[in-house]
Amino acid sequence: MKKFTLLLFAWVFVGATGIGQQNLVLNFLDDVPQRMYANPATLSRRGFSIGLPGLSGIYTRFENTVFNPYHMFERTSDGTAFRTENFLSQVRDYNYIGMDNSLDLFMLSFSTAPYTQWSITLRERMQARAILPGDLIRFPFIGNGSFDTHGNTLDFSGLGLSMNHYRELAVGWHHKSDNGLTIGIRGKVLFGSENIDTKVSEVQWTTDPDTYDWTFAGEMQVNTAGVWTLLDSIEGNHPLDNNQVMSYLFSTQNSGLGLDVGVEKKMTDRFSVSGAISDLGFINWKRGVRNVKSSKGEFAYVGLEFTDGMITSLSSAGDSLNQQLTDILADAEDEFGYADNENNYRSATLARFQIGADYMLFGIDSLTSGSIGVLFQSEVYKGRLRPTYTIAYSQNVKRWLSATIAYSVIDRNFKNLGLGLRLNGGPLQLYVATDNLLAAVL
């Protein structure tokens, strides 16, 4: 029993990730078991490793493609000024705000043959994305009457929020064959907690250039699960009792499946190529479901009517305006056919794929080497690709140290300097990696 306890402690892995983008640097950091999250076609040099909560992988990522203080504000002789033109020049047709969090609750990796390893992981994960159409962001600055720039229509289509909070239980198989081909597969069972999925989002606002009448057209559909129950509990309206807390933590009603697949091929002694697809999967939402949907419709607003009687009598004006607003809202609801239901639905996890190559520049021995690598990675969100390009240099020193410096172009942002460091201290390993060291200042 004493020997088992020492081994259990010996292979705990401590990890933390700074503000980063999609595990880019982790792809190049040698001999880190959590590297399999980026590409499962990786083999650790260690025959047995284990990670426990608080002593294992922690991953945090935040993205913001438009609201950058560096582009929004400037110092002047009078203080701080808003850089309107510069800010608007950064606005794209689709702008993203998002975050990813992952916490290793348990991680086990072990070898059953010299080039075959198995892994079992349990992770708490959260993925969130918000899409802000360019016209929505420009509207406060240009209004709805900028016909020269945008014609007579503001297009808010694509506006939406997606959020997935779930627990992931994965079993992985990682094998290297005699011909230099390494294959990794991680099958996953997913247990959902909360979800927001904007299924349909089409909204246009048209202003008539002669009469200035408004016409709104489009449709919306938003599916949610578990969100309202959690909000009610936080606000204290319907606090969760002990049984409900346990049901929330260990519920299997919102379940799904996922898959990670990766390959790596050693072409020569120095050159290798790789590819992977990660987080391909879905969750069926059945517990705490609420859906909001409007039909495709069109609604015209021609303004409010002011009569002479309204001008002379404030009480008459108030009653008339209230009635007009009530009628307008009723007409809008009739046109768009608002509906609220509790239908079960399915949502996809946020998948990504990548291809890469690595060339060893020099190798003093089998454990000390320097290499350069390139990586193309893209997530697939709402049918859109969001590509990332990375070039990195990695240095390995024996078994105890691995360091990586990387430069990335992330979603057309060119100011991304990444760093990674892995240290082995006896039985323990510490690693830290960030894909954007300059995020806080640029």
Side-chain angles (χ1 to χ4, degrees), residues 87-339:
F87 169 69
L88 291 177
S89 69
Q90 304 296 320
V91 177
R92 308 169 189 169
D93 290 340
Y94 296 101
N95 307 272
Y96 297 87
I97 297 175
M99 66 183 301
D100 293 84
N101 292 298
S102 175
L103 172 66
D104 281 12
L105 301 176
F106 180 77
M107 191 276 294
L108 174 67
S109 175
F110 57 93
S111 298
T112 56
Y115 294 105
T116 300
Q117 291 182 350
W118 291 84
S119 62
I120 302 173
T121 60
L122 180 64
R123 294 198 291 168
E124 195 77 15
R125 303 191 61 185
M126 196 277 288
Q127 303 169 322
R129 298 289 185 276
I131 300 181
L132 303 178
D135 281 358
L136 181 65
I137 299 174
R138 299 184 192 102
F139 168 65
F141 301 93
I142 66 175
N144 65 311
S146 183
F147 302 117
D148 293 337
T149 305
H150 296 281
N152 61 344
T153 299
L154 293 174
D155 192 354
F156 300 153
S157 298
L159 171 67
L161 173 65
S162 297
M163 186 273 290
N164 247 343
H165 173 208
Y166 60 95
R167 189 163 296 149
E168 173 192 283
L169 175 63
V171 176
W173 176 77
H174 322 267
H175 175 75
K176 183 177 181 180
S177 59
D178 294 336
N179 62 1
L181 177 66
T182 303
I183 300 174
I185 300 174
R186 300 179 68 239
K188 301 186 285 188
V189 180
L190 311 178
F191 305 101
S193 297
E194 291 89 35
N195 175 259
I196 302 175
D197 183 26
T198 304
K199 204 72 174 179
V200 180
S201 176
E202 297 180 8
V203 182
Q204 293 86 32
W205 177 7
T206 302
T207 303
D208 188 287
D210 298 319
T211 65
Y212 296 101
D213 293 344
W214 296 347
T215 301
F216 299 92
E219 61 178 321
M220 290 286 294
Q221 180 180 344
V222 181
N223 299 324
T224 67
V227 176
W228 301 106
T229 303
L230 184 63
L231 289 178
D232 281 349
S233 174
I234 293 174
E235 293 175 359
N237 297 329
H238 300 284
L240 300 176
D241 58 32
N242 290 336
N243 291 333
Q244 289 175 309
V245 170
M246 296 301 292
S247 176
Y248 170 79
L249 292 175
F250 300 103
S251 173
T252 60
Q253 287 180 270
N254 300 325
S255 60
L257 299 173
L259 182 68
D260 297 347
V261 179
V263 295
E264 182 176 319
K265 173 66 174 178
K266 199 169 183 64
M267 309 302 291
T268 69
D269 290 340
R270 292 179 175 270
F271 180 66
S272 61
V273 295
S274 63
I277 299 175
S278 303
D279 292 331
L280 190 66
F282 64 89
I283 298 177
N284 293 314
W285 298 95
K286 302 178 181 179
R287 184 174 185 266
V289 172
R290 183 177 177 184
N291 322 107
V292 178
K293 181 180 181 180
S294 72
S295 302
K296 191 168 187 177
E298 185 175 292
F299 169 72
Y301 171 73
V302 298
L304 299 173
E305 181 181 359
F306 286 86
T307 64
D308 292 340
M310 294 172 61
I311 296 174
T312 58
S313 173
L314 291 179
S315 60
S316 175
D319 293 340
S320 178
L321 288 175
N322 286 334
Q323 185 60 50
Q324 289 186 62
L325 291 173
T326 300
D327 292 341
I328 289 170
L329 292 175
D331 290 343
E333 186 171 338
D334 290 340
E335 289 293 334
F336 292 109
Y338 169 83

